[in-house]
PDB file of all heavy atoms in Angstrom:
ATOM      1  N   ALA C   1      75.996  47.886  43.602  1.00 72.00           N
ATOM      2  CA  ALA C   1      75.457  47.518  42.295  1.00 72.00           C
ATOM      3  C   ALA C   1      76.496  47.779  41.207  1.00 72.00           C
ATOM      4  O   ALA C   1      77.281  48.733  41.293  1.00 72.00           O
ATOM      5  CB  ALA C   1      74.195  48.327  42.016  1.00 72.00           C
ATOM      6  N   PRO C   2      76.529  46.949  40.161  1.00 79.00           N
ATOM      7  CA  PRO C   2      77.507  47.141  39.091  1.00 79.00           C
ATOM      8  C   PRO C   2      77.296  48.478  38.378  1.00 79.00           C
ATOM      9  O   PRO C   2      76.165  48.926  38.190  1.00 79.00           O
ATOM     10  CB  PRO C   2      77.255  45.959  38.148  1.00 79.00           C
ATOM     11  CG  PRO C   2      75.866  45.499  38.463  1.00 79.00           C
ATOM     12  CD  PRO C   2      75.662  45.781  39.914  1.00 79.00           C
ATOM     13  N   ARG C   3      78.414  49.092  38.002  1.00 85.00           N
ATOM     14  CA  ARG C   3      78.344  50.387  37.334  1.00 85.00           C
ATOM     15  C   ARG C   3      77.867  50.201  35.902  1.00 85.00           C
ATOM     16  O   ARG C   3      78.308  49.294  35.195  1.00 85.00           O
ATOM     17  CB  ARG C   3      79.721  51.059  37.348  1.00 85.00           C
ATOM     18  CG  ARG C   3      79.712  52.498  36.872  1.00 85.00           C
ATOM     19  CD  ARG C   3      81.094  53.122  37.034  1.00 85.00           C
ATOM     20  NE  ARG C   3      81.075  54.511  36.645  1.00 85.00           N
ATOM     21  CZ  ARG C   3      81.183  54.949  35.390  1.00 85.00           C
ATOM     22  NH1 ARG C   3      81.332  54.065  34.413  1.00 85.00           N
ATOM     23  NH2 ARG C   3      81.157  56.239  35.106  1.00 85.00           N
ATOM     24  N   VAL C   4      76.961  51.067  35.475  1.00 90.00           N
ATOM     25  CA  VAL C   4      76.417  51.018  34.116  1.00 90.00           C
ATOM     26  C   VAL C   4      76.596  52.385  33.467  1.00 90.00           C
ATOM     27  O   VAL C   4      76.167  53.407  34.029  1.00 90.00           O
ATOM     28  CB  VAL C   4      74.917  50.631  34.122  1.00 90.00           C
ATOM     29  CG1 VAL C   4      74.340  50.702  32.712  1.00 90.00           C
ATOM     30  CG2 VAL C   4      74.723  49.245  34.708  1.00 90.00           C
ATOM     31  N   ALA C   5      77.223  52.411  32.324  1.00 92.00           N
ATOM     32  CA  ALA C   5      77.377  53.662  31.581  1.00 92.00           C
ATOM     33  C   ALA C   5      76.124  53.904  30.749  1.00 92.00           C
ATOM     34  O   ALA C   5      75.511  52.962  30.224  1.00 92.00           O
ATOM     35  CB  ALA C   5      78.604  53.599  30.680  1.00 92.00           C
ATOM     36  N   PHE C   6      75.737  55.175  30.604  1.00 94.00           N
ATOM     37  CA  PHE C   6      74.538  55.471  29.831  1.00 94.00           C
ATOM     38  C   PHE C   6      74.673  54.977  28.392  1.00 94.00           C
ATOM     39  O   PHE C   6      73.693  54.520  27.790  1.00 94.00           O
ATOM     40  CB  PHE C   6      74.275  56.980  29.855  1.00 94.00           C
ATOM     41  CG  PHE C   6      73.052  57.384  29.083  1.00 94.00           C
ATOM     42  CD1 PHE C   6      71.788  57.021  29.509  1.00 94.00           C
ATOM     43  CD2 PHE C   6      73.168  58.108  27.904  1.00 94.00           C
ATOM     44  CE1 PHE C   6      70.648  57.377  28.788  1.00 94.00           C
ATOM     45  CE2 PHE C   6      72.051  58.475  27.174  1.00 94.00           C
ATOM     46  CZ  PHE C   6      70.779  58.108  27.622  1.00 94.00           C
ATOM     47  N   ALA C   7      75.881  55.019  27.857  1.00 93.00           N
ATOM     48  CA  ALA C   7      76.086  54.572  26.479  1.00 93.00           C
ATOM     49  C   ALA C   7      75.742  53.104  26.297  1.00 93.00           C
ATOM     50  O   ALA C   7      75.374  52.676  25.191  1.00 93.00           O
ATOM     51  CB  ALA C   7      77.539  54.818  26.064  1.00 93.00           C
ATOM     52  N   SER C   8      75.810  52.307  27.379  1.00 90.00           N
ATOM     53  CA  SER C   8      75.490  50.882  27.254  1.00 90.00           C
ATOM     54  C   SER C   8      74.010  50.663  26.960  1.00 90.00           C
ATOM     55  O   SER C   8      73.622  49.619  26.434  1.00 90.00           O
ATOM     56  CB  SER C   8      75.903  50.138  28.523  1.00 90.00           C
ATOM     57  OG  SER C   8      75.138  50.573  29.639  1.00 90.00           O
ATOM     58  N   LEU C   9      73.168  51.653  27.303  1.00 93.00           N
ATOM     59  CA  LEU C   9      71.762  51.543  26.964  1.00 93.00           C
ATOM     60  C   LEU C   9      71.568  51.630  25.450  1.00 93.00           C
ATOM     61  O   LEU C   9      70.687  50.968  24.891  1.00 93.00           O
ATOM     62  CB  LEU C   9      70.956  52.652  27.651  1.00 93.00           C
ATOM     63  CG  LEU C   9      70.415  52.355  29.066  1.00 93.00           C
ATOM     64  CD1 LEU C   9      71.557  52.057  30.032  1.00 93.00           C
ATOM     65  CD2 LEU C   9      69.574  53.515  29.582  1.00 93.00           C
ATOM     66  N   LEU C  10      72.401  52.434  24.804  1.00 92.00           N
ATOM     67  CA  LEU C  10      72.361  52.505  23.345  1.00 92.00           C
ATOM     68  C   LEU C  10      72.872  51.209  22.738  1.00 92.00           C
ATOM     69  O   LEU C  10      72.308  50.705  21.755  1.00 92.00           O
ATOM     70  CB  LEU C  10      73.181  53.694  22.832  1.00 92.00           C
ATOM     71  CG  LEU C  10      72.518  55.076  22.919  1.00 92.00           C
ATOM     72  CD1 LEU C  10      72.683  55.664  24.311  1.00 92.00           C
ATOM     73  CD2 LEU C  10      73.119  56.028  21.886  1.00 92.00           C
ATOM     74  N   ASP C  11      73.948  50.661  23.320  1.00 90.00           N
ATOM     75  CA  ASP C  11      74.512  49.416  22.801  1.00 90.00           C
ATOM     76  C   ASP C  11      73.488  48.291  22.813  1.00 90.00           C
ATOM     77  O   ASP C  11      73.491  47.420  21.933  1.00 90.00           O
ATOM     78  CB  ASP C  11      75.738  49.000  23.621  1.00 90.00           C
ATOM     79  CG  ASP C  11      76.843  50.037  23.575  1.00 90.00           C
ATOM     80  OD1 ASP C  11      76.868  50.841  22.619  1.00 90.00           O
ATOM     81  OD2 ASP C  11      77.686  50.042  24.504  1.00 90.00           O
ATOM     82  N   ARG C  12      72.607  48.277  23.838  1.00 89.00           N
ATOM     83  CA  ARG C  12      71.616  47.207  23.976  1.00 89.00           C
ATOM     84  C   ARG C  12      70.299  47.539  23.274  1.00 89.00           C
ATOM     85  O   ARG C  12      69.350  46.759  23.335  1.00 89.00           O
ATOM     86  CB  ARG C  12      71.365  46.937  25.465  1.00 89.00           C
ATOM     87  CG  ARG C  12      72.494  46.177  26.146  1.00 89.00           C
ATOM     88  CD  ARG C  12      72.264  46.148  27.663  1.00 89.00           C
ATOM     89  NE  ARG C  12      73.080  45.147  28.323  1.00 89.00           N
ATOM     90  CZ  ARG C  12      74.357  45.301  28.631  1.00 89.00           C
ATOM     91  NH1 ARG C  12      74.983  46.429  28.273  1.00 89.00           N
ATOM     92  NH2 ARG C  12      75.028  44.345  29.252  1.00 89.00           N
ATOM     93  N   GLY C  13      70.219  48.703  22.666  1.00 91.00           N
ATOM     94  CA  GLY C  13      69.005  49.072  21.954  1.00 91.00           C
ATOM     95  C   GLY C  13      67.871  49.528  22.843  1.00 91.00           C
ATOM     96  O   GLY C  13      66.720  49.625  22.393  1.00 91.00           O
ATOM     97  N   LEU C  14      68.159  49.815  24.112  1.00 93.00           N
ATOM     98  CA  LEU C  14      67.126  50.292  25.021  1.00 93.00           C
ATOM     99  C   LEU C  14      66.810  51.765  24.782  1.00 93.00           C
ATOM    100  O   LEU C  14      65.720  52.243  25.132  1.00 93.00           O
ATOM    101  CB  LEU C  14      67.567  50.062  26.474  1.00 93.00           C
ATOM    102  CG  LEU C  14      67.777  48.602  26.884  1.00 93.00           C
ATOM    103  CD1 LEU C  14      68.373  48.504  28.272  1.00 93.00           C
ATOM    104  CD2 LEU C  14      66.448  47.841  26.816  1.00 93.00           C
ATOM    105  N   VAL C  15      67.780  52.502  24.248  1.00 94.00           N
ATOM    106  CA  VAL C  15      67.613  53.902  23.878  1.00 94.00           C
ATOM    107  C   VAL C  15      68.263  54.080  22.507  1.00 94.00           C
ATOM    108  O   VAL C  15      69.288  53.450  22.221  1.00 94.00           O
ATOM    109  CB  VAL C  15      68.265  54.855  24.899  1.00 94.00           C
ATOM    110  CG1 VAL C  15      68.165  56.304  24.439  1.00 94.00           C
ATOM    111  CG2 VAL C  15      67.621  54.701  26.271  1.00 94.00           C
ATOM    112  N   SER C  16      67.689  54.927  21.692  1.00 94.00           N
ATOM    113  CA  SER C  16      68.250  55.182  20.363  1.00 94.00           C
ATOM    114  C   SER C  16      68.752  56.616  20.266  1.00 94.00           C
ATOM    115  O   SER C  16      68.208  57.521  20.929  1.00 94.00           O
ATOM    116  CB  SER C  16      67.193  54.948  19.272  1.00 94.00           C
ATOM    117  OG  SER C  16      66.687  53.636  19.335  1.00 94.00           O
ATOM    118  N   ALA C  17      69.795  56.809  19.448  1.00 94.00           N
ATOM    119  CA  ALA C  17      70.259  58.168  19.172  1.00 94.00           C
ATOM    120  C   ALA C  17      69.110  58.958  18.565  1.00 94.00           C
ATOM    121  O   ALA C  17      68.372  58.459  17.710  1.00 94.00           O
ATOM    122  CB  ALA C  17      71.449  58.133  18.220  1.00 94.00           C
ATOM    123  N   GLY C  18      68.944  60.173  19.037  1.00 95.00           N
ATOM    124  CA  GLY C  18      67.844  61.019  18.564  1.00 95.00           C
ATOM    125  C   GLY C  18      66.632  60.985  19.481  1.00 95.00           C
ATOM    126  O   GLY C  18      65.714  61.797  19.322  1.00 95.00           O
ATOM    127  N   THR C  19      66.611  60.035  20.455  1.00 96.00           N
ATOM    128  CA  THR C  19      65.500  59.981  21.414  1.00 96.00           C
ATOM    129  C   THR C  19      65.482  61.243  22.260  1.00 96.00           C
ATOM    130  O   THR C  19      66.522  61.749  22.686  1.00 96.00           O
ATOM    131  CB  THR C  19      65.629  58.751  22.325  1.00 96.00           C
ATOM    132  OG1 THR C  19      65.569  57.570  21.520  1.00 96.00           O
ATOM    133  CG2 THR C  19      64.515  58.714  23.368  1.00 96.00           C
ATOM    134  N   MET C  20      64.300  61.750  22.536  1.00 96.00           N
ATOM    135  CA  MET C  20      64.174  62.947  23.357  1.00 96.00           C
ATOM    136  C   MET C  20      63.869  62.553  24.801  1.00 96.00           C
ATOM    137  O   MET C  20      62.944  61.760  25.058  1.00 96.00           O
ATOM    138  CB  MET C  20      63.054  63.841  22.829  1.00 96.00           C
ATOM    139  CG  MET C  20      63.156  65.282  23.309  1.00 96.00           C
ATOM    140  SD  MET C  20      64.645  66.131  22.700  1.00 96.00           S
ATOM    141  CE  MET C  20      64.277  66.200  20.935  1.00 96.00           C
ATOM    142  N   LEU C  21      64.655  63.072  25.735  1.00 97.00           N
ATOM    143  CA  LEU C  21      64.432  62.875  27.164  1.00 97.00           C
ATOM    144  C   LEU C  21      63.885  64.163  27.764  1.00 97.00           C
ATOM    145  O   LEU C  21      64.171  65.255  27.267  1.00 97.00           O
ATOM    146  CB  LEU C  21      65.729  62.497  27.875  1.00 97.00           C
ATOM    147  CG  LEU C  21      66.497  61.277  27.347  1.00 97.00           C
ATOM    148  CD1 LEU C  21      67.753  61.054  28.192  1.00 97.00           C
ATOM    149  CD2 LEU C  21      65.621  60.036  27.339  1.00 97.00           C
ATOM    150  N   THR C  22      63.103  64.026  28.826  1.00 97.00           N
ATOM    151  CA  THR C  22      62.583  65.214  29.528  1.00 97.00           C
ATOM    152  C   THR C  22      62.712  64.990  31.031  1.00 97.00           C
ATOM    153  O   THR C  22      62.994  63.876  31.498  1.00 97.00           O
ATOM    154  CB  THR C  22      61.096  65.456  29.200  1.00 97.00           C
ATOM    155  OG1 THR C  22      60.302  64.451  29.848  1.00 97.00           O
ATOM    156  CG2 THR C  22      60.842  65.436  27.702  1.00 97.00           C
ATOM    157  N   ASP C  23      62.478  66.057  31.791  1.00 96.00           N
ATOM    158  CA  ASP C  23      62.362  65.877  33.235  1.00 96.00           C
ATOM    159  C   ASP C  23      60.963  65.357  33.540  1.00 96.00           C
ATOM    160  O   ASP C  23      60.131  65.193  32.634  1.00 96.00           O
ATOM    161  CB  ASP C  23      62.667  67.174  33.975  1.00 96.00           C
ATOM    162  CG  ASP C  23      61.634  68.265  33.692  1.00 96.00           C
ATOM    163  OD1 ASP C  23      60.898  68.131  32.702  1.00 96.00           O
ATOM    164  OD2 ASP C  23      61.582  69.243  34.454  1.00 96.00           O
ATOM    165  N   ALA C  24      60.669  65.098  34.797  1.00 94.00           N
ATOM    166  CA  ALA C  24      59.394  64.479  35.167  1.00 94.00           C
ATOM    167  C   ALA C  24      58.194  65.343  34.803  1.00 94.00           C
ATOM    168  O   ALA C  24      57.092  64.821  34.583  1.00 94.00           O
ATOM    169  CB  ALA C  24      59.384  64.168  36.667  1.00 94.00           C
ATOM    170  N   LYS C  25      58.386  66.674  34.712  1.00 93.00           N
ATOM    171  CA  LYS C  25      57.281  67.577  34.397  1.00 93.00           C
ATOM    172  C   LYS C  25      57.338  68.075  32.959  1.00 93.00           C
ATOM    173  O   LYS C  25      56.597  68.998  32.593  1.00 93.00           O
ATOM    174  CB  LYS C  25      57.295  68.753  35.371  1.00 93.00           C
ATOM    175  CG  LYS C  25      57.057  68.343  36.821  1.00 93.00           C
ATOM    176  CD  LYS C  25      57.019  69.542  37.755  1.00 93.00           C
ATOM    177  CE  LYS C  25      56.739  69.100  39.200  1.00 93.00           C
ATOM    178  NZ  LYS C  25      56.695  70.257  40.122  1.00 93.00           N
ATOM    179  N   SER C  26      58.236  67.494  32.166  1.00 93.00           N
ATOM    180  CA  SER C  26      58.362  67.825  30.732  1.00 93.00           C
ATOM    181  C   SER C  26      58.687  69.292  30.490  1.00 93.00           C
ATOM    182  O   SER C  26      58.277  69.875  29.479  1.00 93.00           O
ATOM    183  CB  SER C  26      57.075  67.442  29.975  1.00 93.00           C
ATOM    184  OG  SER C  26      56.828  66.059  30.077  1.00 93.00           O
ATOM    185  N   ARG C  27      59.437  69.886  31.399  1.00 94.00           N
ATOM    186  CA  ARG C  27      59.836  71.284  31.229  1.00 94.00           C
ATOM    187  C   ARG C  27      61.158  71.407  30.479  1.00 94.00           C
ATOM    188  O   ARG C  27      61.324  72.288  29.632  1.00 94.00           O
ATOM    189  CB  ARG C  27      59.950  71.959  32.590  1.00 94.00           C
ATOM    190  CG  ARG C  27      58.617  72.108  33.318  1.00 94.00           C
ATOM    191  CD  ARG C  27      58.820  72.683  34.707  1.00 94.00           C
ATOM    192  NE  ARG C  27      57.544  72.863  35.406  1.00 94.00           N
ATOM    193  CZ  ARG C  27      57.436  73.219  36.682  1.00 94.00           C
ATOM    194  NH1 ARG C  27      58.541  73.429  37.397  1.00 94.00           N
ATOM    195  NH2 ARG C  27      56.254  73.359  37.237  1.00 94.00           N
ATOM    196  N   ASN C  28      62.101  70.538  30.805  1.00 96.00           N
ATOM    197  CA  ASN C  28      63.411  70.564  30.155  1.00 96.00           C
ATOM    198  C   ASN C  28      63.546  69.339  29.251  1.00 96.00           C
ATOM    199  O   ASN C  28      63.107  68.246  29.611  1.00 96.00           O
ATOM    200  CB  ASN C  28      64.534  70.582  31.201  1.00 96.00           C
ATOM    201  CG  ASN C  28      64.503  71.845  32.034  1.00 96.00           C
ATOM    202  OD1 ASN C  28      64.365  72.945  31.489  1.00 96.00           O
ATOM    203  ND2 ASN C  28      64.619  71.704  33.354  1.00 96.00           N
ATOM    204  N   ARG C  29      64.192  69.548  28.086  1.00 96.00           N
ATOM    205  CA  ARG C  29      64.351  68.455  27.119  1.00 96.00           C
ATOM    206  C   ARG C  29      65.816  68.334  26.719  1.00 96.00           C
ATOM    207  O   ARG C  29      66.574  69.311  26.719  1.00 96.00           O
ATOM    208  CB  ARG C  29      63.494  68.703  25.881  1.00 96.00           C
ATOM    209  CG  ARG C  29      62.002  68.678  26.142  1.00 96.00           C
ATOM    210  CD  ARG C  29      61.237  68.794  24.836  1.00 96.00           C
ATOM    211  NE  ARG C  29      61.593  70.020  24.121  1.00 96.00           N
ATOM    212  CZ  ARG C  29      61.482  70.184  22.806  1.00 96.00           C
ATOM    213  NH1 ARG C  29      61.061  69.167  22.047  1.00 96.00           N
ATOM    214  NH2 ARG C  29      61.795  71.344  22.224  1.00 96.00           N
ATOM    215  N   ALA C  30      66.193  67.095  26.381  1.00 97.00           N
ATOM    216  CA  ALA C  30      67.550  66.837  25.891  1.00 97.00           C
ATOM    217  C   ALA C  30      67.492  65.688  24.905  1.00 97.00           C
ATOM    218  O   ALA C  30      66.740  64.721  25.104  1.00 97.00           O
ATOM    219  CB  ALA C  30      68.495  66.512  27.042  1.00 97.00           C
ATOM    220  N   MET C  31      68.299  65.788  23.852  1.00 96.00           N
ATOM    221  CA  MET C  31      68.330  64.745  22.834  1.00 96.00           C
ATOM    222  C   MET C  31      69.514  63.820  23.077  1.00 96.00           C
ATOM    223  O   MET C  31      70.629  64.274  23.367  1.00 96.00           O
ATOM    224  CB  MET C  31      68.443  65.363  21.444  1.00 96.00           C
ATOM    225  CG  MET C  31      68.374  64.335  20.308  1.00 96.00           C
ATOM    226  SD  MET C  31      68.630  65.085  18.684  1.00 96.00           S
ATOM    227  CE  MET C  31      70.375  65.515  18.781  1.00 96.00           C
ATOM    228  N   VAL C  32      69.275  62.518  22.952  1.00 96.00           N
ATOM    229  CA  VAL C  32      70.338  61.530  23.107  1.00 96.00           C
ATOM    230  C   VAL C  32      71.196  61.530  21.847  1.00 96.00           C
ATOM    231  O   VAL C  32      70.680  61.398  20.725  1.00 96.00           O
ATOM    232  CB  VAL C  32      69.748  60.125  23.356  1.00 96.00           C
ATOM    233  CG1 VAL C  32      70.872  59.091  23.466  1.00 96.00           C
ATOM    234  CG2 VAL C  32      68.880  60.116  24.606  1.00 96.00           C
ATOM    235  N   ARG C  33      72.505  61.674  22.019  1.00 96.00           N
ATOM    236  CA  ARG C  33      73.440  61.635  20.904  1.00 96.00           C
ATOM    237  C   ARG C  33      74.021  60.231  20.754  1.00 96.00           C
ATOM    238  O   ARG C  33      73.946  59.412  21.671  1.00 96.00           O
ATOM    239  CB  ARG C  33      74.571  62.654  21.134  1.00 96.00           C
ATOM    240  CG  ARG C  33      74.114  64.098  20.995  1.00 96.00           C
ATOM    241  CD  ARG C  33      75.073  65.089  21.643  1.00 96.00           C
ATOM    242  NE  ARG C  33      76.466  64.731  21.437  1.00 96.00           N
ATOM    243  CZ  ARG C  33      77.231  65.166  20.407  1.00 96.00           C
ATOM    244  NH1 ARG C  33      76.704  65.974  19.493  1.00 96.00           N
ATOM    245  NH2 ARG C  33      78.501  64.812  20.326  1.00 96.00           N
ATOM    246  N   ALA C  34      74.619  59.939  19.638  1.00 94.00           N
ATOM    247  CA  ALA C  34      75.117  58.599  19.332  1.00 94.00           C
ATOM    248  C   ALA C  34      76.217  58.154  20.277  1.00 94.00           C
ATOM    249  O   ALA C  34      76.419  56.948  20.481  1.00 94.00           O
ATOM    250  CB  ALA C  34      75.602  58.543  17.885  1.00 94.00           C
ATOM    251  N   ASP C  35      76.946  59.098  20.871  1.00 94.00           N
ATOM    252  CA  ASP C  35      78.044  58.730  21.768  1.00 94.00           C
ATOM    253  C   ASP C  35      77.614  58.606  23.226  1.00 94.00           C
ATOM    254  O   ASP C  35      78.430  58.400  24.113  1.00 94.00           O
ATOM    255  CB  ASP C  35      79.192  59.736  21.649  1.00 94.00           C
ATOM    256  CG  ASP C  35      78.773  61.162  22.024  1.00 94.00           C
ATOM    257  OD1 ASP C  35      77.585  61.367  22.371  1.00 94.00           O
ATOM    258  OD2 ASP C  35      79.632  62.066  21.976  1.00 94.00           O
ATOM    259  N   GLY C  36      76.308  58.744  23.499  1.00 94.00           N
ATOM    260  CA  GLY C  36      75.822  58.608  24.867  1.00 94.00           C
ATOM    261  C   GLY C  36      75.765  59.902  25.633  1.00 94.00           C
ATOM    262  O   GLY C  36      75.397  59.893  26.816  1.00 94.00           O
ATOM    263  N   THR C  37      76.104  61.017  25.027  1.00 96.00           N
ATOM    264  CA  THR C  37      75.949  62.312  25.674  1.00 96.00           C
ATOM    265  C   THR C  37      74.584  62.887  25.311  1.00 96.00           C
ATOM    266  O   THR C  37      73.876  62.362  24.447  1.00 96.00           O
ATOM    267  CB  THR C  37      77.059  63.287  25.251  1.00 96.00           C
ATOM    268  OG1 THR C  37      77.027  63.427  23.818  1.00 96.00           O
ATOM    269  CG2 THR C  37      78.427  62.780  25.688  1.00 96.00           C
ATOM    270  N   LEU C  38      74.224  63.979  25.979  1.00 97.00           N
ATOM    271  CA  LEU C  38      72.952  64.634  25.721  1.00 97.00           C
ATOM    272  C   LEU C  38      73.189  66.035  25.175  1.00 97.00           C
ATOM    273  O   LEU C  38      74.139  66.719  25.570  1.00 97.00           O
ATOM    274  CB  LEU C  38      72.107  64.738  27.000  1.00 97.00           C
ATOM    275  CG  LEU C  38      71.743  63.452  27.737  1.00 97.00           C
ATOM    276  CD1 LEU C  38      70.788  63.771  28.891  1.00 97.00           C
ATOM    277  CD2 LEU C  38      71.133  62.421  26.808  1.00 97.00           C
ATOM    278  N   SER C  39      72.301  66.473  24.269  1.00 96.00           N
ATOM    279  CA  SER C  39      72.305  67.840  23.761  1.00 96.00           C
ATOM    280  C   SER C  39      71.063  68.531  24.296  1.00 96.00           C
ATOM    281  O   SER C  39      69.929  68.100  24.015  1.00 96.00           O
ATOM    282  CB  SER C  39      72.297  67.844  22.230  1.00 96.00           C
ATOM    283  OG  SER C  39      72.162  69.160  21.727  1.00 96.00           O
ATOM    284  N   LEU C  40      71.256  69.585  25.087  1.00 96.00           N
ATOM    285  CA  LEU C  40      70.124  70.275  25.694  1.00 96.00           C
ATOM    286  C   LEU C  40      69.320  71.013  24.632  1.00 96.00           C
ATOM    287  O   LEU C  40      69.867  71.744  23.809  1.00 96.00           O
ATOM    288  CB  LEU C  40      70.610  71.244  26.773  1.00 96.00           C
ATOM    289  CG  LEU C  40      71.077  70.565  28.075  1.00 96.00           C
ATOM    290  CD1 LEU C  40      71.867  71.520  28.941  1.00 96.00           C
ATOM    291  CD2 LEU C  40      69.872  70.026  28.841  1.00 96.00           C
ATOM    292  N   GLU C  41      68.004  70.845  24.674  1.00 96.00           N
ATOM    293  CA  GLU C  41      67.106  71.425  23.689  1.00 96.00           C
ATOM    294  C   GLU C  41      66.300  72.591  24.243  1.00 96.00           C
ATOM    295  O   GLU C  41      65.482  73.171  23.534  1.00 96.00           O
ATOM    296  CB  GLU C  41      66.142  70.349  23.176  1.00 96.00           C
ATOM    297  CG  GLU C  41      66.821  69.165  22.522  1.00 96.00           C
ATOM    298  CD  GLU C  41      67.510  69.550  21.219  1.00 96.00           C
ATOM    299  OE1 GLU C  41      66.842  70.156  20.361  1.00 96.00           O
ATOM    300  OE2 GLU C  41      68.713  69.241  21.072  1.00 96.00           O
ATOM    301  N   THR C  42      66.500  72.904  25.519  1.00 94.00           N
ATOM    302  CA  THR C  42      65.793  74.016  26.158  1.00 94.00           C
ATOM    303  C   THR C  42      66.782  74.822  26.987  1.00 94.00           C
ATOM    304  O   THR C  42      67.856  74.335  27.372  1.00 94.00           O
ATOM    305  CB  THR C  42      64.663  73.514  27.076  1.00 94.00           C
ATOM    306  OG1 THR C  42      65.186  72.535  27.981  1.00 94.00           O
ATOM    307  CG2 THR C  42      63.531  72.883  26.278  1.00 94.00           C
ATOM    308  N   ALA C  43      66.429  76.078  27.245  1.00 91.00           N
ATOM    309  CA  ALA C  43      67.243  76.932  28.112  1.00 91.00           C
ATOM    310  C   ALA C  43      66.874  76.642  29.569  1.00 91.00           C
ATOM    311  O   ALA C  43      65.727  76.276  29.860  1.00 91.00           O
ATOM    312  CB  ALA C  43      67.001  78.399  27.771  1.00 91.00           C
ATOM    313  N   PRO C  44      67.814  76.814  30.508  1.00 91.00           N
ATOM    314  CA  PRO C  44      69.202  77.224  30.260  1.00 91.00           C
ATOM    315  C   PRO C  44      70.048  76.084  29.677  1.00 91.00           C
ATOM    316  O   PRO C  44      69.685  74.917  29.828  1.00 91.00           O
ATOM    317  CB  PRO C  44      69.700  77.620  31.648  1.00 91.00           C
ATOM    318  CG  PRO C  44      68.893  76.768  32.592  1.00 91.00           C
ATOM    319  CD  PRO C  44      67.527  76.637  31.946  1.00 91.00           C
TER     320      PRO C  44
END
């Protein structure tokens, strides 16, 4: 399958900077940054 960078989701408007991501059980959270990286919002 063709390689897709996470940042390309932002380019296409599928994800926006500032969107909050979680794991399947909503225990860990991370915020999407404008450059396609994530900032962890929970420990560890």
